[in-house]
Amino acid sequence: MSFISGYHHLTLSTDGAQEDYDFYTKTLGLHSIKRTVLFDGTIPVYHLYYGAKSGDPSTIVTTFPFKKPGIYGKRGTNQSKIIQLAIPVGSADFWVDRLNERGIPATKISRFGITRVALAHPCGIDHELVESPADTRPPITNEAQGIGEAHGIRGIYGAAIAVFDRTSMDDFLTIGMGMKKEADSDEGLMFSVPNNGGPSSMVEVLHQPSGPQGTWTLSGGTIHHLALNTVNEENQLKLKAHIEGLGFTDVSDQKDRNYFKSCYVRSPGGALFEIAWSVEGGWALDEPADAIGSTLVFPPWFEDRREELIAGLEPANF
C-alpha cells in the first residue's frame, strides 16, 4: 500500500507579486485560491496560491514573490528545475499561440514521447504544459480569460529535477516514496507518483553533471519544494517513519500550515520534497467556501502582526 496519492501542491519563489499573479491567473487561467503571507521567518512576503476553483490539492501552485526584500537565488543543478502542468491532448498549439501572443516565448517540445509546451515564468523559472494522455481530471476553465474545456490546465503533471548523479534518486523515489520507474533513457528518468485515480503525475530526473549547484534556500527565481499528498495524518506519519528508517534523516517535524500539515525531506538529488495532507475545512477555514482566494488572510498566530506585515508587503492589485 502506498502512503501517497498524487501531488498536493508545488511551491516556487518568484520575483514581482503583480507579474506572478497575472501570469497564473490571466495567462494560464488558474484561479486565486488563497492570499496569505510566508509563515516562516519574519520577512513580510506574500504566499499566493493558484489552482482549480475548488482548490483541489492536485491543482495547486503556490508562490513567494521576493521582489521587495530583494532575495534571489541561483538556478542550477542538484535542484528542482521545471514546474509541469497537465493540459488536454491536442491543446499544445493553442498554448504556443496564446503565450507567444502575450509576449511569453513558447515552443513545442517532446520528452519521453510526450508533447509539451516549454515556457518560462516572468522570473525565469522553466515551466512545461504537458499533454498528459492518462489525465482524466476536468480542465480548469476561465471564461474571463478565454480558456475553455478543450484547452484548460487540468492540474499538476509533476516536476523535473536536475541532478549531478541521476542514479542517486532511484532508491529515494521508488523504495522511499513508493513511485514506479516508467522510463530510463538518455533523456533522463521518469517516475510515476502513486495516485488513487491512476498514474497521471510524474517526477522526472534530468542528468546535468556540470554547471553550478542550485540554491536550496527560500530565494527568488527558484523552485522551493514539491509537495506530495498523503491524504491524512496517519499516512504522513507512517511515511515519515519509513523514510527515516531508510536513513534519510533530514526529515522535519510536522509543521502547521493552517490549511494543511506538512513534513519536509531533502532528497539525494537536492530537491526538497514535502509530504502534506489537508485539514478539515481546508481553504474555507478563514474565507467562505465560494469566495476562497478573494481576500488577504493571516494565520491566527500572525494576527498581532497584521498591520506590520501589510505595511511591509509589495504593493499589488489583486
Side-chain angles (χ1 to χ4, degrees), residues 130-259:
V130 184
E131 288 192 353
S132 177
D135 201 325
T136 59
R137 291 172 295 177
I140 299 168
T141 60
N142 192 323
E143 292 183 6
Q145 302 303 330
I147 298 175
E149 289 189 2
H151 310 114
I153 289 170
R154 295 186 188 275
I156 296 168
Y157 175 81
I161 301 166
V163 298
F164 290 127
D165 174 12
R166 73 180 201 156
T167 62
S168 67
M169 293 292 283
D170 275 32
D171 285 351
F172 177 80
L173 294 176
T174 55
I175 299 173
M177 292 295 194
M179 299 183 192
K180 179 184 176 184
K181 187 189 291 186
E182 300 287 353
D184 184 344
S185 71
D186 57 2
E187 291 183 304
L189 305 172
M190 181 170 67
F191 301 84
S192 59
V193 179
N195 193 322
N196 294 338
S200 60
S201 54
M202 305 290 163
V203 172
E204 298 178 351
V205 176
L206 310 178
H207 190 211
Q208 296 187 358
S210 60
Q213 164 68 52
T215 303
W216 287 356
T217 54
L218 272 170
S219 46
T222 63
I223 299 169
H224 189 253
H225 64 261
L226 317 175
L228 302 169
N229 189 9
T230 66
V231 182
N232 57 49
E233 184 171 33
E234 180 183 5
N235 282 343
Q236 181 190 62
L237 297 180
K238 284 182 176 179
L239 180 55
K240 171 178 161 63
H242 171 68
I243 295 169
E244 290 173 329
L246 292 173
F248 298 107
T249 55
D250 186 13
V251 186
S252 77
D253 291 333
Q254 187 187 78
K255 296 182 181 294
D256 185 355
R257 299 312 192 192
N258 208 25
Y259 316 105

Side-chain angles (χ1 to χ4, degrees), residues 253-274:
D253 291 333
Q254 187 187 78
K255 296 182 181 294
D256 185 355
R257 299 312 192 192
N258 208 25
Y259 316 105
F260 49 92
K261 301 289 182 71
S262 303
C263 297
Y264 300 84
V265 55
R266 182 71 64 182
S267 70
L272 183 65
F273 280 81
E274 175 183 339

